[in-house]
């Protein structure tokens, strides 16, 4: 029989152990080994059995044991120390508290969060990144308030059928069994969020709170009695269901999320966020809700839009078109129009915000960009790819000027780095993992000490992998008697390569199988063998991905190689920790440039692993020739099979001739000196860059603080500046068709211009009803290509030199001829206002109709 409802009965802790409840309910334990040691001490056997989940531990431990601990003075003292340490962590001023002018609070929205294996509310990189973002924010004292959804079944757990086919299971989670508490009104009633739906339906939700160190995380949950059964199921699964289901989830996250924040701030007295950061398009409706709030307090739609944009940061996470979130336009029109429309927010304006090339589609990424003054990708290369991908939103501007920047992802060291390394770092390199300085100190640590830790971590991985492999075979129907061979699977002294990630096709799980015979030779090499550990989940609807997994599993099942290559089911944070800590080499072979950043290789690097990767995402930026290996990419080859074959061959060659050679090249004392040289260089060169703390500082300094300033500037004096700015934008947009570059004259050089000379430019501009102060007139100049196009031009501002009797404005300035060779220039006009953050922001530009100013000759 199956229960119709489940819940968890919580233990009542003896008064002496009350602090244990505090420790369990702050997820800081998940990156604080001393707190976990304390949990282990409650009942070491149980602790292992519950998979290091402290809520489950307290649910399972008997009253006798609790009474024993309550009477144990030593335990009580340790508990008191741990609780003091947590309180200190929660309140002491940190880096953020030293910043002048920074945002009072920042709201952070993400559809998934990877915080601990015990809170399975993530599917992959996006969620893990969000979790690391919160943890690093907590460590640095950044006042983030995070919002997400609580999925009753989380993401699926994976096992294999006897044939090696992925099977999915959706565990039933019960919020009472998770470290969560319900957000309640002061009177004790749970806060309820309501969102009206078409046909007079209402979506209700309650709000759970998790505490991630200093960062509160609000999770909306639609499984409440007020809802009809469809509405109850809105938060059933992460990325399950069809388009309608997804729209409901995104409404709840975006619109409901803002309402949850308002309730939380009202009840707790926390300051309302000045900045709203949306992680990918899924939470984009938050901008509409904020416009609704402002329009109900007397701003017009356009004024509210300006105020909202100024304080919004949008991060795009994928260059894969299928990864962009889109809805049928009708669906959006139904939700936000007709009888369900918000009176002050016209549905036509909403549809405009999400309009894209296909008139039938509403594009959440595009809306995200129109609702945010600041937009970024997640690595330099991804920024570049995104500028190209979205350039049509800013027509007339060169790709370089598309206002999408980048902040490269990072990872939270205390979550991902093996404890032995954390302790070594704590001893030898104080505070290195919090600050980005001091990494040179790694060079002073002996090879032997680092190698010893590497061996320990590899050994732990081998043990863990055997246990998981055994379980997997049992799940596939094998009997224990057939599994004796598993005791000898993998070898703690063999070069260990890891490959673990989700399984969308661009990540090419099976590239290594391109030539199975060559792969077997590498695995079975008598002198320099390698072993490979593989893990990854395919999206439940992705049959192609499941086929790839099956191919890998079938290969790894082969009796001749099964001791050297294994597929470990159910890739989650716990397995990721085991792998990134234990593997010597971290392999990544995406189809460039589709990996926006990638982070697992960063986790490996921080553990002294070496990256072996296609130059994509973060690795394109930080590979320096000697901190790992770059697999040559056959970017230009259009036949995909041919491209795979070329890249696979390059991969095999690298493993055979570079990686294995180096690993097995041992000095008289048994140490691989040349290997250790590379490990140390990896730690010193990548260590400071890959930290989530570095990433957070970049967000604070580059995006959050400027966004807070802009939001304040617009909201001052009862939003008077927002009104003025909206008026200005409307005026400029209306008058822009009349703005023309009539004429450009150059003087100052003769027929044979020489380098070092300068051109004096005089431009005549028609401005219609605009003033010279409304525009910025610039010369663009530099190298020209074969079709007279300027290549990465430089810009020089021209200054206003009066208006003539015909109402034409004159601008003058100087262009230096700083380089030899083909040189060109032109003049352009763009809108100018102190509250505009980027030249291209309004998408308005005027350039001469005829090309001007190509020097015919070549500069000498
Ligand atoms: C780090 C991590 C990811 C993301 O790794 P990528 O390199 O971006 O593929 C995905 N899943 C888990 C469980 C992780 O720990």
């Amino acid at each position: 029989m199956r229960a119709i409802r489940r819940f968890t009965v919580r233990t009542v802790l003896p008064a002496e152990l009350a602090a244990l409840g505090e420790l369990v309910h702050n997820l800081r334990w998940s990156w604080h080994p001393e707190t976990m040691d304390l949990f282990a001490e409650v009942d070491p056997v149980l602790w292992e059995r519950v998979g290091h989940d402290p809520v489950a531990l307290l649910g399972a431990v008997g009253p006798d044991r609790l009474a024993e601990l309550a009477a144990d003075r030593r335990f009580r003292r340790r508990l008191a120390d741990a609780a003091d340490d947590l309180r200190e962590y929660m309140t002491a001023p940190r880096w953020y508290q030293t910043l002048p002018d920074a945002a009072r609070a920042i709201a952070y929205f993400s559809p998934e969060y990877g915080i601990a294996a015990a809170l399975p509310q993530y599917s992959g990189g996006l969620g893990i990144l969000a979790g690391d973002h919160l943890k690093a924010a907590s460590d640095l004292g950044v006042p983030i308030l995070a919002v997400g959804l609580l999925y009753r079944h989380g993401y699926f757990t994976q096992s294999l059928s006897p044939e090696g086919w992925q099977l999915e299971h959706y565990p039933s989670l019960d919020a009472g069994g998770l470290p969560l508490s319900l957000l309640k009104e002061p009177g004790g009633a749970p806060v309820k969020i309501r969102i009206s739906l078409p046909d007079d339906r209402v979506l209700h939700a309650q709000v759970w709170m998790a505490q991630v160190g200093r960062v509160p995380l609000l999770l909306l949950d639609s499984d409440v009695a007020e809802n009809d059964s469809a509405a109850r199921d809105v938060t059933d699964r992460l990325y399950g269901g069809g388009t309608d289901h997804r729209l409901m989830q995104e409404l709840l996250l975006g619109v409901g999320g803002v309402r949850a924040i308002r309730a939380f701030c009202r009840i707790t007295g926390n300051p309302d966020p000045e900045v709203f950061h949306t992680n990918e398009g899924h939470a984009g409706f938050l901008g509409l809700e904020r416009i609704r709030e402002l329009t109900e307090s007397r701003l017009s739609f356009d004024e509210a839009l300006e105020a909202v944009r100024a304080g919004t940061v949008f991060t795009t996470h994928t260059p894969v078109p299928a990864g962009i979130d889109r809805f049928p336009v009708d669906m959006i029109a139904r939700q936000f129009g007709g009888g369900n429309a918000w009176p002050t927010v016209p549905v036509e304006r909403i549809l405009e915000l999400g309009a894209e090339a296909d008139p039938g589609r509403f594009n959440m990424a595009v809306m995200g960009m129109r609702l945010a003054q600041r937009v970024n990708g997640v690595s330099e290369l991804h920024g570049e790819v995104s500028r190209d991908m979205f350039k049509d939103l800013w027509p007339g501007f060169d790709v370089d000027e598309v206002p999408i920047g980048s902040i490269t992802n990072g990872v939270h060291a205390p979550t991902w780095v093996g404890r032995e390394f954390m302790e070594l770092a704590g001893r030898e390199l104080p505070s290195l993992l919090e600050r980005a300085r001091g990494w040179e100190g790694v060079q002073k640590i002996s090879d032997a000490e680092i190698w010893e830790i590497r061996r320990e971590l590899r050994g732990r991985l081998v043990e863990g992998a055997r246990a998981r492999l055994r379980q997997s075979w049992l799940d596939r129907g094998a009997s224990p008697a057939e599994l004796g061979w598993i005791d000898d699977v993998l070898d703690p002294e063999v070069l260990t390569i890891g490959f673990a990630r989700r399984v969308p096709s661009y990540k090419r799980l099976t590239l290594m199988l391109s030539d199975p015979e060559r792969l077997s030779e590498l695995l079975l090499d008598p002198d320099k063998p390698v072993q490979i550990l593989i893990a990854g989940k395919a999206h439940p609807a992705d049959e192609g991905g499941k086929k790839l997994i099956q191919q890998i599993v079938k290969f790894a099942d082969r009796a001749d190689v099964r001791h050297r290559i294994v597929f470990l089911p159910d890739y989650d944070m716990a397995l990721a920790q085991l792998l990134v800590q234990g593997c010597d080499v971290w392999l990544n072979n995406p189809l460039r440039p589709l990996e926006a950043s990638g982070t697992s290789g960063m986790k490996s690097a921080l553990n002294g692993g070496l990256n072996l990767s296609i130059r994509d995402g973060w690795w394109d930026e930080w590979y320096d020739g000697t901190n790992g290996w770059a697999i040559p990419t056959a970017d230009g080859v259009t036949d995909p099979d041919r491209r795979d074959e070329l890249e696979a061959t390059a991969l095999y060659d690298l493993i055979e001739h570079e990686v294995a050679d180096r690993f097995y090249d041992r000095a008289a004392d048994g140490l691989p000196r040349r290997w250790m040289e590379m490990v140390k260089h990896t730690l010193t060169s990548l260590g400071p860059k890959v930290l989530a703390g570095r990433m957070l500082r970049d967000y604070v300094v580059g995006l959050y603080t400027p966004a807070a300033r802009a939001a304040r500037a617009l909201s001052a004096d009862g939003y008077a500046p927002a009104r003025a700015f909206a008026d200005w934008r409307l005026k400029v947009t209306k008058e822009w068709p009349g703005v023309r570059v009539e004429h450009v004259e150059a003087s100052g050089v003769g027929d044979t211009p020489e380098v070092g000379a300068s051109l004096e430019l005089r431009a005549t501009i028609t401005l219609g009803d605009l003033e010279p102060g409304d525009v910025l007139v610039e010369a663009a100049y530099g190298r020209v290509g074969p079709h007279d196009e300027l290549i990465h031009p430089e810009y020089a501002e021209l200054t206003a030199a009066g208006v003539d009797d015909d109402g034409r404005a004159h601008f003058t300035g100087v262009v230096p001829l700083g380089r030899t060779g083909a040189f060109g220039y032109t003049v352009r006009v763009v809108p100018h206002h102190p509250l505009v953050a980027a030249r291209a922001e309004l998408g308005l530009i005027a350039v001469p109709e005829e090309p001007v100013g190509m020097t015919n000759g070549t500069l000498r």
Side-chain angles (χ1 to χ4, degrees):
M1 254 191 305
R2 297 178 64 164
I4 52 164
R5 296 288 284 162
R6 58 179 288 152
F7 54 90
T8 304
V9 182
R10 288 195 180 180
T11 322
V12 179
L13 290 168
E16 296 88 337
L17 303 183
L20 211 45
E22 240 175 88
L23 290 171
V24 168
H25 273 85
N26 191 319
L27 285 153
R28 189 220 186 192
W29 60 258
S30 68
W31 70 94
H32 198 248
E34 289 80 5
T35 308
M36 283 195 266
D37 287 348
L38 191 73
F39 294 153
E41 208 175 319
V42 169
D43 186 333
V45 177
L46 204 53
W47 177 241
E48 291 309 317
R49 204 163 69 220
V50 297
H52 296 194
D53 174 348
V55 181
L57 176 82
L58 289 195
V61 68
D64 296 351
R65 177 61 186 152
L66 288 175
E68 205 172 287
L69 289 169
D72 178 345
R73 278 185 44 204
R74 205 191 49 88
F75 184 82
R76 285 203 324 256
R77 200 157 47 238
R78 284 191 57 197
L79 177 58
D81 285 349
D84 281 350
D85 181 79
L86 177 61
R87 280 176 217 131
E88 212 269 338
Y89 175 83
M90 293 294 286
T91 49
R94 303 252 157 185
W95 169 75
Y96 195 83
Q97 282 65 48
T98 65
L99 302 178
D101 233 21
R104 273 194 307 278
I106 299 130
Y108 181 87
F109 284 65
S110 171
E112 49 172 309
Y113 288 93
I115 291 163
L119 197 62
Q121 299 284 322
Y122 59 92
S123 76
L126 181 70
I128 302 287
L129 180 79
D132 281 7
H133 196 98
L134 302 194
K135 293 171 185 176
S138 173
D139 291 345
L140 292 169
V142 181
I144 279 185
L145 173 54
V147 184
L149 300 179
L150 182 73
Y151 303 97
R152 203 174 340 128
H153 299 285
Y155 199 54
F156 71 91
T157 57
Q158 178 196 51
S159 67
L160 296 174
S161 77
E163 296 74 37
W165 191 253
Q166 167 175 299
L167 302 176
E168 296 117 27
H169 319 269
Y170 288 88
S172 280
L173 301 173
D174 152 42
L178 298 171
L180 303 173
S181 56
L182 210 47
L183 179 64
K184 292 183 175 156
E185 296 292 348
V191 166
K192 287 285 161 61
I193 304 297
R194 297 165 46 94
I195 297 175
S196 62
L197 303 178
D199 304 326
D200 295 324
R201 285 178 66 222
V202 176
L203 173 60
H204 301 264
Q206 56 190 0
V207 184
W208 295 94
M209 292 184 295
Q211 195 64 39
V212 186
R214 297 163 72 121
V215 173
L217 167 60
L218 307 179
L219 298 168
L220 288 97
D221 170 14
S222 72
D223 186 16
V224 293
E226 294 89 330
N227 275 334
D228 57 36
S229 70
R232 272 180 105 128
D233 284 344
V234 165
T235 52
D236 58 350
R237 293 174 177 185
L238 177 54
Y239 306 137
T243 317
D244 192 48
H245 187 256
R246 191 157 46 82
L247 176 62
M248 290 300 113
Q249 288 192 338
E250 297 191 7
L251 271 177
L252 190 57
L253 178 61
V255 177
V258 174
R259 295 179 186 176
I261 285 179
R262 300 302 182 213
F264 176 83
C265 293
R266 170 173 55 76
I267 294 165
T268 59
N270 275 46
D272 268 300
E274 291 181 295
V275 175
F276 286 72
H277 181 183
T278 136
N279 217 345
E280 203 40 271
H282 313 296
F285 294 128
L286 75 90
L288 302 183
E289 168 65 3
R290 289 164 59 224
I291 289 175
R292 185 194 64 75
E293 291 178 333
L294 290 171
T295 50
E296 289 186 358
S297 59
R298 292 205 307 271
L299 291 192
S300 72
F301 181 92
D302 288 294
E303 293 159 358
L305 175 62
E306 298 305 344
V308 164
R309 279 183 77 247
T312 305
V313 174
F314 176 81
T315 303
T316 166
H317 284 268
T318 179
V320 183
I324 302 286
D325 211 359
R326 296 148 91 222
F327 290 105
V329 161
D330 308 348
M331 236 165 136
I332 303 296
R334 230 171 90 70
Q335 172 60 38
F336 291 101
N340 198 45
W342 289 333
T344 55
V345 186
V347 66
E348 306 77 53
R349 299 302 306 268
I350 294 178
L351 295 178
E352 255 168 53
L353 287 170
E356 60 149 52
D358 177 346
R361 296 270 140 187
F362 184 91
N363 187 315
M364 295 295 283
V366 164
M367 178 171 75
M369 293 184 187
R370 291 187 178 129
L371 281 173
Q373 193 174 27
R374 288 170 180 78
V375 180
N376 70 296
V378 291
S379 67
E380 279 178 15
L381 179 61
H382 179 230
E384 198 179 309
V385 171
S386 302
R387 287 191 284 280
D388 191 55
M389 195 166 160
F390 294 105
K391 62 178 185 284
D392 293 347
L393 295 181
W394 294 274
F397 287 87
D398 284 353
V399 167
D400 291 356
E401 281 198 282
V402 168
I404 301 178
S406 68
I407 290 183
T408 306
N409 286 343
V411 297
H412 184 246
T415 298
W416 299 109
V417 176
R419 188 163 180 183
E420 291 81 353
F421 269 127
M422 286 302 281
E423 284 169 3
L424 176 69
R427 207 165 59 240
E428 302 288 334
L429 317 156
S431 76
L432 153 154
L433 293 167
E434 280 166 34
R435 285 194 224 135
R437 284 193 299 273
W439 286 83
E440 320 75 61
V442 167
Q443 299 296 346
K444 294 200 291 272
I445 304 174
S446 76
D447 286 357
E449 194 163 8
I450 296 179
W451 180 243
E452 205 35 57
I453 294 181
R454 293 277 342 131
R455 289 189 59 211
E456 226 170 294
L457 295 173
R458 195 188 310 115
R460 197 185 299 157
L461 169 62
V462 167
E463 288 302 315
R466 285 176 186 158
R468 284 165 188 264
L469 192 65
R470 177 181 308 279
Q471 189 56 51
S472 175
W473 274 102
L474 293 173
D475 292 345
R476 291 173 73 185
S479 73
E482 306 168 70
L483 299 180
W485 60 274
I486 288 182
D487 296 337
D488 300 315
V489 159
L490 305 174
D491 180 334
E493 300 302 329
V494 163
L495 169 60
T496 304
I497 301 180
F499 184 98
R501 45 194 39 87
R502 289 179 304 112
V503 190
S505 55
Y506 77 86
K507 295 208 185 222
R508 293 193 296 189
L509 174 67
T510 53
L511 188 74
M512 67 177 88
L513 288 186
S514 208
D515 179 349
E517 283 327 299
R518 182 94 197 263
L519 177 62
S520 323
E521 283 165 25
L522 293 174
L523 297 172
L524 303 174
D525 190 294
D527 303 318
K528 298 173 188 167
V530 303
Q531 57 194 8
I532 305 184
L533 291 98
I534 303 159
K537 294 177 179 178
H539 186 279
D542 178 12
E543 296 289 303
K546 293 184 204 178
K547 284 208 179 92
L548 300 182
I549 290 178
Q550 189 174 38
Q551 281 172 35
I552 286 279
V553 173
K554 286 256 145 97
F555 182 83
D557 281 354
R558 265 172 47 178
D560 59 330
V561 293
R562 67 185 182 188
H563 59 301
R564 288 276 153 75
I565 181 166
V566 299
F567 179 86
L568 302 176
D570 205 25
Y571 183 45
D572 69 351
M573 287 183 73
L575 181 53
Q577 282 164 335
L578 201 61
L579 286 167
V580 298
Q581 292 172 15
C583 288
D584 300 293
V585 172
W586 197 255
L587 173 63
N588 190 18
N589 48 36
L591 212 48
R592 190 178 191 272
L594 297 182
E595 178 99 309
S597 167
T599 52
S600 52
M602 301 181 182
K603 302 169 195 166
S604 168
L606 279 180
N607 281 289
L610 299 178
N611 277 269
L612 168 59
S613 171
I614 297 272
R615 291 192 69 156
D616 200 3
W618 75 281
W619 189 236
D620 183 62
E621 200 168 317
W622 291 333
Y623 168 66
D624 71 0
T626 52
N627 55 5
W629 297 273
I631 305 168
T633 160
D635 257 7
V637 177
T638 42
D639 172 5
D641 293 335
R642 177 81 189 122
R643 177 170 173 184
D644 284 359
E645 195 183 307
L646 287 171
E647 295 184 9
T649 305
L651 169 63
Y652 298 135
D653 288 345
L654 267 173
I655 294 177
E656 182 176 348
H657 302 302
E658 308 267 343
V659 184
D661 255 15
R662 207 177 253 264
F663 184 85
Y664 289 107
D665 176 8
R666 302 299 165 94
D669 57 6
L671 290 176
R673 295 283 176 195
R674 290 197 305 135
W675 187 268
M676 293 314 295
E677 202 180 296
M678 238 166 132
V679 168
K680 286 177 163 181
H681 177 62
T682 289
L683 287 168
T684 43
S685 68
L686 295 177
K689 298 188 177 120
V690 302
L691 294 182
R694 187 273 313 150
M695 168 179 75
L696 246 292
R697 287 163 201 251
D698 287 353
Y699 272 101
V700 167
V701 173
L703 298 174
Y704 295 162
T705 305
R709 286 206 193 103
R712 273 177 215 158
L714 284 171
S715 63
D717 305 327
Y719 288 95
R723 290 195 173 92
F725 184 69
D727 285 352
W728 176 80
R729 184 202 276 249
L730 286 178
K731 177 184 79 173
V732 169
T733 308
K734 181 162 151 280
E735 296 298 330
W736 201 257
V739 174
R740 268 197 315 279
V741 181
E742 295 285 349
H743 184 63
V744 180
E745 273 168 45
S747 57
V749 292
D751 294 340
T752 49
E754 287 181 4
V755 69
S758 33
L759 282 173
E760 281 153 32
L761 292 190
R762 192 173 162 79
T764 308
I765 316 276
T766 313
L767 288 175
D769 275 349
L770 299 181
E771 303 294 321
D774 290 329
V775 298
L776 181 67
V777 180
E778 290 176 312
Y781 61 92
R783 193 151 59 88
V784 281
H787 307 291
D788 290 349
E789 73 280 14
L790 286 163
I791 300 166
H792 302 303
E794 291 181 70
Y795 296 92
E797 192 176 327
L798 306 189
T799 42
V803 178
D804 64 24
D805 296 342
D806 300 331
R808 296 176 310 181
H810 296 276
F811 288 80
T812 60
V814 171
V815 166
L817 303 184
R819 50 173 306 134
T820 55
F823 186 94
Y825 66 86
T826 187
V827 167
R828 67 170 188 183
V829 188
V830 294
H832 171 71
H833 191 286
L835 291 169
V836 169
R839 300 269 200 275
E841 192 170 312
L842 272 55
L844 300 173
I845 186 169
V847 292
E849 267 148 39
E850 296 294 318
V852 291
M854 292 303 161
T855 56
N856 292 327
T858 296
L859 290 183
R860 283 177 297 140

